[in-house]
Each structure stands twice: as structure tokens, then as C-alpha cells.
Amino acid sequence: MFFNDIFNLQRDLDQFLNAQISPTSVYQTNRFPALNLFEKDNCLILKTEVPGIVKSDIKIDLTDNVLSISGEKKTEPVSANYHRQEREAGPFKRQIELPYKVDPEKVKANLENGVLTIELEKREEAKGRQITIS
Amino acid sequence: MTLKELFKKDKKEVDTKEGEITYACRFYQPNVDILENDSEIVLYADIPGVNKEDVEVTVENNTLKLSAKIDPSEYRDLKPLYTEYGLGHFTREFKLGGKIDKDSIVANIDNGVLSLKLKKSQEVLPRRIEIH
């Protein structure tokens, strides 16, 4: 896939920059969960990796063209005897400004295998139209 | 000879109608948590986007190998606008200590998290000695 290279480069660069700015902790809280935004026809498709979070712990809000996703990933009790802890946990909130207005009535969200997919349809007035020369 | 036939000869084209199509995809190391309690070692690995049947857990010569494959086909028609994470399969290997009962490893997948329960072998379990 052609955009694999973009993904790879971006991730590598992000990791490098993040490591420079804030040394990575056990939690690596800098950007959790990470988002990917795609476009298909007149739809925006937002995907985010939220492994281990149940449906009821995720809240999605849409105000104008700002989408916010918040929730909490439950942690094991503190008494647990950890040998290694790399997975992020705890409460999170992310907001993203969408490139155009979307129809709030036509938002679909789906959580499958730890990937949250939100489909947002462009609002009628934001759709482009062709103008014919009279 | 048409141009297409020439290319076909030069490089084997994959017939998209039948047969397996493979995608070039990166492999990532999943993040894991490893916990220990009295009777077992529990491993959690984040493998978002992987279906249950695409997960493989093998134990060979004291090496535990996880391998999980995503299905990139759903991304084929999508145009990326803004990306923060890469897509790829997951693979990671762990060396097992000798004190794990390799025959009774229980694997489970839930919400993109693979959990493995590795039972400690009988001889290392703490036992209480009765005083007569």
C-alpha cells in the first residue's frame, strides 16, 4: 500500500521527536490513543486503537466540527506484581478538529477488536458541487 | 504482443480473482504487560485490529512466539488525511524460564488484547509443610 511509507515515516519521526521532548515513561502518555483520519467519498473515517477498553467506557462527543473522544482504560490493582508494564492505561481525552462540518445525525461508531471506527458524513452544505458555465 | 502481456512476462502478476493475495505490511512489536501471581504468569499484549483466527501463539524450545496479523484490505479505498499510528502486523518473542508448565498455556483474546496465562510448574509452587 502506498501510504505505508507515510505511516512508517511518521511513526518513526514521532517516536524520535517524542523521545527528545519527553523521555518515554512506562506509560508513554504523550498521545494516547493515537488517531488516524481517513477520507472516503463524502465520509470522514476516524480510527483509533483502544485495545482493552470496553464500549461503555468510551464517550464520543461532536460539537460543531470538533470531535472529542474520552474514556478510561481500567488498570490492574496496584497490588499486582508487574514484571513489565508497557501498555498505556488510565483516563484519556482527545479532541480533533475535523476539516469540514459533518452531519451530526449520520455519525456511526463501531468498536471491533480494540479499534474504534467513527464514520462521519459531510454535511450537505459542505459538499462540493460542480458549477456549470451558463 | 500487447504491452500488458509483456509486463506479465516480466513480472508475475497476481490474479486478484483467485488465490491468496499478500500485502506488504510492517511488523510491530506489541506492547505487553507481564504480571505474576502465586500460581501463574499472566501476559497481556495489545494487538488492536486483529481477528481471533489470525493470532498464532507457539512455544518452541523455551521460546514463546506471538504472531498476529491484521487485515489491511479495509484500508485500501481510504485516503489518509492525518495519521498518527502505523498499520502493521504484530510479532514478538519471549524466552520462557524453565519453571513454566508449557502444556497448560491458556490464550484468550478480548477487545484487541491477547492474554496468556502461563502456569508455573508444580515443583516451583509454594507449598506449606505441615508440622506433625
Side-chain angles (χ1 to χ4, degrees), chain B residues 31-46:
Chain B
N31 286 338
V32 300
D33 281 359
I34 299 172
L35 295 123
E36 183 177 351
N37 59 34
D38 288 343
S39 62
E40 59 194 8
I41 286 172
V42 188
L43 185 149
Y44 296 104
D46 280 347

PDB file of all heavy atoms in Angstrom, chain B residues 31-46:
ATOM      1  N   ASN B  31       2.839  -3.877  22.562  1.00  0.00           N
ATOM      2  CA  ASN B  31       3.152  -3.546  23.951  1.00  0.00           C
ATOM      3  C   ASN B  31       2.599  -4.638  24.850  1.00  0.00           C
ATOM      4  O   ASN B  31       1.484  -5.097  24.638  1.00  0.00           O
ATOM      5  CB  ASN B  31       2.510  -2.221  24.341  1.00  0.00           C
ATOM      6  CG  ASN B  31       3.230  -1.050  23.715  1.00  0.00           C
ATOM      7  OD1 ASN B  31       4.404  -1.156  23.345  1.00  0.00           O
ATOM      8  ND2 ASN B  31       2.538   0.054  23.583  1.00  0.00           N
ATOM      9  N   VAL B  32       3.362  -5.021  25.826  1.00  0.00           N
ATOM     10  CA  VAL B  32       2.892  -6.079  26.714  1.00  0.00           C
ATOM     11  C   VAL B  32       3.016  -5.684  28.180  1.00  0.00           C
ATOM     12  O   VAL B  32       3.855  -4.872  28.550  1.00  0.00           O
ATOM     13  CB  VAL B  32       3.648  -7.422  26.512  1.00  0.00           C
ATOM     14  CG1 VAL B  32       3.493  -7.947  25.112  1.00  0.00           C
ATOM     15  CG2 VAL B  32       5.097  -7.287  26.880  1.00  0.00           C
ATOM     16  N   ASP B  33       2.146  -6.265  28.966  1.00  0.00           N
ATOM     17  CA  ASP B  33       2.253  -6.205  30.420  1.00  0.00           C
ATOM     18  C   ASP B  33       2.491  -7.636  30.877  1.00  0.00           C
ATOM     19  O   ASP B  33       1.845  -8.551  30.369  1.00  0.00           O
ATOM     20  CB  ASP B  33       0.934  -5.742  31.061  1.00  0.00           C
ATOM     21  CG  ASP B  33       0.748  -4.240  30.971  1.00  0.00           C
ATOM     22  OD1 ASP B  33       1.638  -3.569  30.435  1.00  0.00           O
ATOM     23  OD2 ASP B  33      -0.300  -3.759  31.423  1.00  0.00           O
ATOM     24  N   ILE B  34       3.383  -7.810  31.809  1.00  0.00           N
ATOM     25  CA  ILE B  34       3.584  -9.150  32.354  1.00  0.00           C
ATOM     26  C   ILE B  34       3.419  -9.078  33.866  1.00  0.00           C
ATOM     27  O   ILE B  34       4.059  -8.259  34.527  1.00  0.00           O
ATOM     28  CB  ILE B  34       4.972  -9.720  31.981  1.00  0.00           C
ATOM     29  CG1 ILE B  34       5.098  -9.814  30.456  1.00  0.00           C
ATOM     30  CG2 ILE B  34       5.170 -11.095  32.600  1.00  0.00           C
ATOM     31  CD1 ILE B  34       6.479 -10.187  29.970  1.00  0.00           C
ATOM     32  N   LEU B  35       2.541  -9.890  34.373  1.00  0.00           N
ATOM     33  CA  LEU B  35       2.254  -9.904  35.800  1.00  0.00           C
ATOM     34  C   LEU B  35       2.500 -11.302  36.345  1.00  0.00           C
ATOM     35  O   LEU B  35       2.394 -12.279  35.609  1.00  0.00           O
ATOM     36  CB  LEU B  35       0.783  -9.565  36.045  1.00  0.00           C
ATOM     37  CG  LEU B  35       0.303  -8.186  35.668  1.00  0.00           C
ATOM     38  CD1 LEU B  35      -0.830  -8.288  34.707  1.00  0.00           C
ATOM     39  CD2 LEU B  35      -0.132  -7.469  36.907  1.00  0.00           C
ATOM     40  N   GLU B  36       2.781 -11.330  37.621  1.00  0.00           N
ATOM     41  CA  GLU B  36       2.983 -12.637  38.229  1.00  0.00           C
ATOM     42  C   GLU B  36       2.135 -12.739  39.483  1.00  0.00           C
ATOM     43  O   GLU B  36       2.038 -11.786  40.254  1.00  0.00           O
ATOM     44  CB  GLU B  36       4.460 -12.818  38.589  1.00  0.00           C
ATOM     45  CG  GLU B  36       4.735 -14.199  39.150  1.00  0.00           C
ATOM     46  CD  GLU B  36       6.204 -14.465  39.449  1.00  0.00           C
ATOM     47  OE1 GLU B  36       7.052 -13.637  39.066  1.00  0.00           O
ATOM     48  OE2 GLU B  36       6.479 -15.492  40.071  1.00  0.00           O
ATOM     49  N   ASN B  37       1.503 -13.866  39.657  1.00  0.00           N
ATOM     50  CA  ASN B  37       0.872 -14.146  40.942  1.00  0.00           C
ATOM     51  C   ASN B  37       1.361 -15.502  41.439  1.00  0.00           C
ATOM     52  O   ASN B  37       2.274 -16.084  40.837  1.00  0.00           O
ATOM     53  CB  ASN B  37      -0.656 -14.029  40.861  1.00  0.00           C
ATOM     54  CG  ASN B  37      -1.255 -14.980  39.847  1.00  0.00           C
ATOM     55  OD1 ASN B  37      -0.749 -16.084  39.652  1.00  0.00           O
ATOM     56  ND2 ASN B  37      -2.319 -14.554  39.198  1.00  0.00           N
ATOM     57  N   ASP B  38       0.776 -15.998  42.487  1.00  0.00           N
ATOM     58  CA  ASP B  38       1.310 -17.214  43.120  1.00  0.00           C
ATOM     59  C   ASP B  38       1.382 -18.404  42.172  1.00  0.00           C
ATOM     60  O   ASP B  38       2.337 -19.164  42.200  1.00  0.00           O
ATOM     61  CB  ASP B  38       0.444 -17.592  44.330  1.00  0.00           C
ATOM     62  CG  ASP B  38       0.674 -16.626  45.476  1.00  0.00           C
ATOM     63  OD1 ASP B  38       1.711 -15.924  45.416  1.00  0.00           O
ATOM     64  OD2 ASP B  38      -0.163 -16.562  46.385  1.00  0.00           O
ATOM     65  N   SER B  39       0.361 -18.561  41.341  1.00  0.00           N
ATOM     66  CA  SER B  39       0.304 -19.796  40.570  1.00  0.00           C
ATOM     67  C   SER B  39       0.646 -19.615  39.097  1.00  0.00           C
ATOM     68  O   SER B  39       0.915 -20.594  38.402  1.00  0.00           O
ATOM     69  CB  SER B  39      -1.096 -20.402  40.687  1.00  0.00           C
ATOM     70  OG  SER B  39      -2.035 -19.509  40.147  1.00  0.00           O
ATOM     71  N   GLU B  40       0.629 -18.384  38.605  1.00  0.00           N
ATOM     72  CA  GLU B  40       0.866 -18.238  37.164  1.00  0.00           C
ATOM     73  C   GLU B  40       1.484 -16.892  36.801  1.00  0.00           C
ATOM     74  O   GLU B  40       1.520 -15.962  37.597  1.00  0.00           O
ATOM     75  CB  GLU B  40      -0.445 -18.436  36.389  1.00  0.00           C
ATOM     76  CG  GLU B  40      -1.510 -17.464  36.801  1.00  0.00           C
ATOM     77  CD  GLU B  40      -2.912 -17.826  36.311  1.00  0.00           C
ATOM     78  OE1 GLU B  40      -3.111 -18.911  35.768  1.00  0.00           O
ATOM     79  OE2 GLU B  40      -3.791 -16.983  36.481  1.00  0.00           O
ATOM     80  N   ILE B  41       1.946 -16.847  35.547  1.00  0.00           N
ATOM     81  CA  ILE B  41       2.443 -15.602  34.978  1.00  0.00           C
ATOM     82  C   ILE B  41       1.436 -15.214  33.899  1.00  0.00           C
ATOM     83  O   ILE B  41       1.047 -16.046  33.082  1.00  0.00           O
ATOM     84  CB  ILE B  41       3.861 -15.796  34.412  1.00  0.00           C
ATOM     85  CG1 ILE B  41       4.837 -15.888  35.586  1.00  0.00           C
ATOM     86  CG2 ILE B  41       4.247 -14.651  33.491  1.00  0.00           C
ATOM     87  CD1 ILE B  41       6.218 -16.263  35.210  1.00  0.00           C
ATOM     88  N   VAL B  42       0.981 -13.972  33.951  1.00  0.00           N
ATOM     89  CA  VAL B  42      -0.037 -13.535  33.005  1.00  0.00           C
ATOM     90  C   VAL B  42       0.564 -12.486  32.089  1.00  0.00           C
ATOM     91  O   VAL B  42       1.247 -11.575  32.541  1.00  0.00           O
ATOM     92  CB  VAL B  42      -1.270 -12.950  33.745  1.00  0.00           C
ATOM     93  CG1 VAL B  42      -2.400 -12.683  32.764  1.00  0.00           C
ATOM     94  CG2 VAL B  42      -1.731 -13.870  34.843  1.00  0.00           C
ATOM     95  N   LEU B  43       0.342 -12.666  30.801  1.00  0.00           N
ATOM     96  CA  LEU B  43       0.887 -11.730  29.817  1.00  0.00           C
ATOM     97  C   LEU B  43      -0.273 -11.111  29.039  1.00  0.00           C
ATOM     98  O   LEU B  43      -1.158 -11.821  28.564  1.00  0.00           O
ATOM     99  CB  LEU B  43       1.805 -12.519  28.888  1.00  0.00           C
ATOM    100  CG  LEU B  43       2.615 -11.760  27.830  1.00  0.00           C
ATOM    101  CD1 LEU B  43       3.923 -12.508  27.592  1.00  0.00           C
ATOM    102  CD2 LEU B  43       1.891 -11.613  26.527  1.00  0.00           C
ATOM    103  N   TYR B  44      -0.288  -9.798  28.947  1.00  0.00           N
ATOM    104  CA  TYR B  44      -1.294  -9.107  28.133  1.00  0.00           C
ATOM    105  C   TYR B  44      -0.573  -8.409  26.989  1.00  0.00           C
ATOM    106  O   TYR B  44       0.404  -7.702  27.216  1.00  0.00           O
ATOM    107  CB  TYR B  44      -2.039  -8.051  28.951  1.00  0.00           C
ATOM    108  CG  TYR B  44      -2.859  -8.583  30.089  1.00  0.00           C
ATOM    109  CD1 TYR B  44      -2.420  -8.462  31.404  1.00  0.00           C
ATOM    110  CD2 TYR B  44      -4.087  -9.189  29.856  1.00  0.00           C
ATOM    111  CE1 TYR B  44      -3.180  -8.942  32.461  1.00  0.00           C
ATOM    112  CE2 TYR B  44      -4.852  -9.678  30.899  1.00  0.00           C
ATOM    113  CZ  TYR B  44      -4.396  -9.554  32.198  1.00  0.00           C
ATOM    114  OH  TYR B  44      -5.146 -10.032  33.232  1.00  0.00           O
ATOM    115  N   ALA B  45      -1.058  -8.598  25.796  1.00  0.00           N
ATOM    116  CA  ALA B  45      -0.451  -7.927  24.639  1.00  0.00           C
ATOM    117  C   ALA B  45      -1.530  -7.167  23.878  1.00  0.00           C
ATOM    118  O   ALA B  45      -2.597  -7.708  23.597  1.00  0.00           O
ATOM    119  CB  ALA B  45       0.222  -8.954  23.732  1.00  0.00           C
ATOM    120  N   ASP B  46      -1.236  -5.920  23.554  1.00  0.00           N
ATOM    121  CA  ASP B  46      -2.183  -5.112  22.778  1.00  0.00           C
ATOM    122  C   ASP B  46      -2.029  -5.430  21.297  1.00  0.00           C
ATOM    123  O   ASP B  46      -0.991  -5.133  20.704  1.00  0.00           O
ATOM    124  CB  ASP B  46      -1.872  -3.622  22.980  1.00  0.00           C
ATOM    125  CG  ASP B  46      -2.416  -3.086  24.286  1.00  0.00           C
ATOM    126  OD1 ASP B  46      -3.236  -3.788  24.897  1.00  0.00           O
ATOM    127  OD2 ASP B  46      -2.025  -1.976  24.681  1.00  0.00           O
TER     128      ASP B  46
END
